[in-house]
Amino acid sequence: MPDLNQARNIGGVGAILTILSFVPSAGPVLSIIGFVLVLLALKWISEIVQNPDIFRNALIAVVVTIVGVVVGAVVGGVGLLSVLTGMGPGGPGEVNFFQLLTTIVVAVIVVWVFAVISSVFFRRALYLTADSLNVKMFRTAGLLIFIGAILTIIIVGAVVSLVGNILLAVAFFQIPVGPPPPPPPPPSA
């Protein structure tokens, strides 16, 4: 069974790789590898602290992101095809730029909505991690990633998300190397 030191290192490296998503040509690949490593680290942490909700929320966030990208691509692809084949109000052979712009805007909004929903689940996973390991930086990173997802629609969110991912890397490296803390007591009724 992996220990907190391994989760710390894998998660920290994964978070750093997600920060490198802007690197030309290699960025998307580095980002995907980073997300996988962060997800793996959160799985290990959830097993170590015996809180399956950490990994469950992180996994839901990943699934929602994938579904959002697929749905956005389908909406955008279908819309683009209808514009290019002349199935819209412009008639055959005539590109309707308003319809093309509308298609792009709808696809972007669909992806954005799924990104916000995904960030809600990821924030929950990071909050649970912060509480379980007593590393409050996970909370700050989760909040900034959530706010960044909301603000991404007006571009500013990309910077906020970048800061959130930097703090996520810092949070992973703040995980204590010693034995895991005892699981929190169950809530009293």
Side-chain angles (χ1 to χ4, degrees), residues 45 128 179 184 189:
I45 291 169
L128 291 168

mmCIF file with all atom_site columns, all heavy atoms in Angstrom, residues 45 128 179 184 189:
data_model
loop_
_atom_site.group_PDB
_atom_site.id
_atom_site.type_symbol
_atom_site.label_atom_id
_atom_site.label_alt_id
_atom_site.label_comp_id
_atom_site.label_asym_id
_atom_site.label_entity_id
_atom_site.label_seq_id
_atom_site.pdbx_PDB_ins_code
_atom_site.Cartn_x
_atom_site.Cartn_y
_atom_site.Cartn_z
_atom_site.occupancy
_atom_site.B_iso_or_equiv
_atom_site.pdbx_formal_charge
_atom_site.auth_seq_id
_atom_site.auth_comp_id
_atom_site.auth_asym_id
_atom_site.auth_atom_id
_atom_site.pdbx_PDB_model_num
ATOM 1  N N   . ILE A 1 45  ? -4.371  8.892  -0.959 1.00 0.00 ? 45  ILE A N   1
ATOM 2  C CA  . ILE A 1 45  ? -4.691  9.630  0.268  1.00 0.00 ? 45  ILE A CA  1
ATOM 3  C C   . ILE A 1 45  ? -6.018  9.161  0.831  1.00 0.00 ? 45  ILE A C   1
ATOM 4  O O   . ILE A 1 45  ? -6.144  8.941  2.042  1.00 0.00 ? 45  ILE A O   1
ATOM 5  C CB  . ILE A 1 45  ? -4.691  11.153 0.005  1.00 0.00 ? 45  ILE A CB  1
ATOM 6  C CG1 . ILE A 1 45  ? -3.266  11.629 -0.261 1.00 0.00 ? 45  ILE A CG1 1
ATOM 7  C CG2 . ILE A 1 45  ? -5.315  11.910 1.180  1.00 0.00 ? 45  ILE A CG2 1
ATOM 8  C CD1 . ILE A 1 45  ? -3.171  13.050 -0.788 1.00 0.00 ? 45  ILE A CD1 1
ATOM 9  N N   . LEU A 1 128 ? -11.962 17.871 1.623  1.00 0.00 ? 128 LEU A N   1
ATOM 10 C CA  . LEU A 1 128 ? -11.876 16.659 2.441  1.00 0.00 ? 128 LEU A CA  1
ATOM 11 C C   . LEU A 1 128 ? -10.417 16.276 2.698  1.00 0.00 ? 128 LEU A C   1
ATOM 12 O O   . LEU A 1 128 ? -10.066 15.836 3.795  1.00 0.00 ? 128 LEU A O   1
ATOM 13 C CB  . LEU A 1 128 ? -12.622 15.507 1.768  1.00 0.00 ? 128 LEU A CB  1
ATOM 14 C CG  . LEU A 1 128 ? -14.143 15.637 1.715  1.00 0.00 ? 128 LEU A CG  1
ATOM 15 C CD1 . LEU A 1 128 ? -14.738 14.581 0.780  1.00 0.00 ? 128 LEU A CD1 1
ATOM 16 C CD2 . LEU A 1 128 ? -14.740 15.519 3.108  1.00 0.00 ? 128 LEU A CD2 1
ATOM 17 N N   . PRO A 1 179 ? 3.614   9.281  9.903  1.00 0.00 ? 179 PRO A N   1
ATOM 18 C CA  . PRO A 1 179 ? 2.433   8.422  9.768  1.00 0.00 ? 179 PRO A CA  1
ATOM 19 C C   . PRO A 1 179 ? 1.186   9.275  9.566  1.00 0.00 ? 179 PRO A C   1
ATOM 20 O O   . PRO A 1 179 ? 1.133   10.433 9.970  1.00 0.00 ? 179 PRO A O   1
ATOM 21 C CB  . PRO A 1 179 ? 2.375   7.681  11.108 1.00 0.00 ? 179 PRO A CB  1
ATOM 22 C CG  . PRO A 1 179 ? 3.168   8.513  12.054 1.00 0.00 ? 179 PRO A CG  1
ATOM 23 C CD  . PRO A 1 179 ? 4.191   9.231  11.235 1.00 0.00 ? 179 PRO A CD  1
ATOM 24 N N   . PRO A 1 184 ? -10.820 11.176 11.162 1.00 0.00 ? 184 PRO A N   1
ATOM 25 C CA  . PRO A 1 184 ? -11.631 12.039 12.005 1.00 0.00 ? 184 PRO A CA  1
ATOM 26 C C   . PRO A 1 184 ? -12.786 11.244 12.619 1.00 0.00 ? 184 PRO A C   1
ATOM 27 O O   . PRO A 1 184 ? -13.275 10.280 12.040 1.00 0.00 ? 184 PRO A O   1
ATOM 28 C CB  . PRO A 1 184 ? -12.149 13.106 11.048 1.00 0.00 ? 184 PRO A CB  1
ATOM 29 C CG  . PRO A 1 184 ? -11.975 12.554 9.681  1.00 0.00 ? 184 PRO A CG  1
ATOM 30 C CD  . PRO A 1 184 ? -10.893 11.522 9.772  1.00 0.00 ? 184 PRO A CD  1
ATOM 31 N N   . ALA A 1 189 ? -24.715 12.961 16.288 1.00 0.00 ? 189 ALA A N   1
ATOM 32 C CA  . ALA A 1 189 ? -26.058 13.379 15.906 1.00 0.00 ? 189 ALA A CA  1
ATOM 33 C C   . ALA A 1 189 ? -26.691 14.283 16.922 1.00 0.00 ? 189 ALA A C   1
ATOM 34 O O   . ALA A 1 189 ? -26.365 14.460 18.000 1.00 0.00 ? 189 ALA A O   1
ATOM 35 C CB  . ALA A 1 189 ? -26.945 12.167 15.702 1.00 0.00 ? 189 ALA A CB  1
#
